[in-house]
Amino acid sequence: MPDDENDALLARLQRLSQPLPGVETGTSYGTPALKVAGKLFLRIKGAETLVLMAPLDEKERLIEMAPDIYYETDHYRGWPALLIRAAAVDDAELRHRITEAWRYKAPAKLRKTFG
């Protein structure tokens, strides 16, 4: 993915995660990522694909509910990581998913500060 596309997608993710306390921008597997307390909760995988951390039951429910947005490959089967087609998800839904992934990975003390 060209850097300008990565930059635009990262800017979108940073904007949508802005209200969440303790969010850090870093990298994971060489691509831009969002972390909380050093723990990955979202990363750009490549060409319009995001990897979002999610409990397995939630992951399965989302894939079943909206397979045009959420999916998995064999590599992610059995892992609490959900693939998202970034171009197919609107900001409201993505903001909600980012918040849920943040809650999944954030320490309890930090979650309490967010409500």
Side-chain angles (χ1 to χ4, degrees), residues 1 3-18 25 32-34 42 44 50 91 94-95 98:
M1 178 195 265
D3 284 344
D4 56 337
E5 289 180 37
N6 250 357
D7 292 346
L9 187 50
L10 180 59
R12 180 184 181 200
L13 299 175
Q14 289 171 323
R15 177 176 50 83
L16 295 175
S17 66
Q18 193 172 18
T25 301
L34 298 181
L42 176 67
I44 297 173
L50 303 173
D91 281 0
L94 186 54
R95 179 182 291 113
I98 289 170

Side-chain angles (χ1 to χ4, degrees), residues 51-68:
V51 179
L52 181 87
M53 303 312 292
L56 288 173
D57 58 339
E58 180 76 358
K59 172 182 170 176
E60 292 168 8
R61 186 181 68 77
L62 289 169
I63 291 170
E64 188 175 304
M65 228 173 57
D68 54 321

Side-chain angles (χ1 to χ4, degrees), residues 56 59 72 74 76-80:
L56 288 173
K59 172 182 170 176
E72 73 177 341
D74 288 341
Y76 291 96
R77 204 167 311 280
W79 291 96

Side-chain angles (χ1 to χ4, degrees), residues 49-112:
T49 303
L50 303 173
V51 179
L52 181 87
M53 303 312 292
L56 288 173
D57 58 339
E58 180 76 358
K59 172 182 170 176
E60 292 168 8
R61 186 181 68 77
L62 289 169
I63 291 170
E64 188 175 304
M65 228 173 57
D68 54 321
I69 298 172
Y70 306 107
Y71 68 105
E72 73 177 341
T73 60
D74 288 341
H75 178 77
Y76 291 96
R77 204 167 311 280
W79 291 96
L82 175 67
L83 298 175
I84 300 176
R85 293 175 181 90
V89 63
D90 66 31
D91 281 0
E93 175 67 8
L94 186 54
R95 179 182 291 113
H96 179 68
R97 292 294 135 225
I98 289 170
T99 301
E100 291 304 304
W102 176 89
R103 286 182 209 268
Y104 180 54
K105 288 297 184 174
K109 187 175 181 179
L110 199 53
R111 286 194 313 265
K112 287 178 188 171

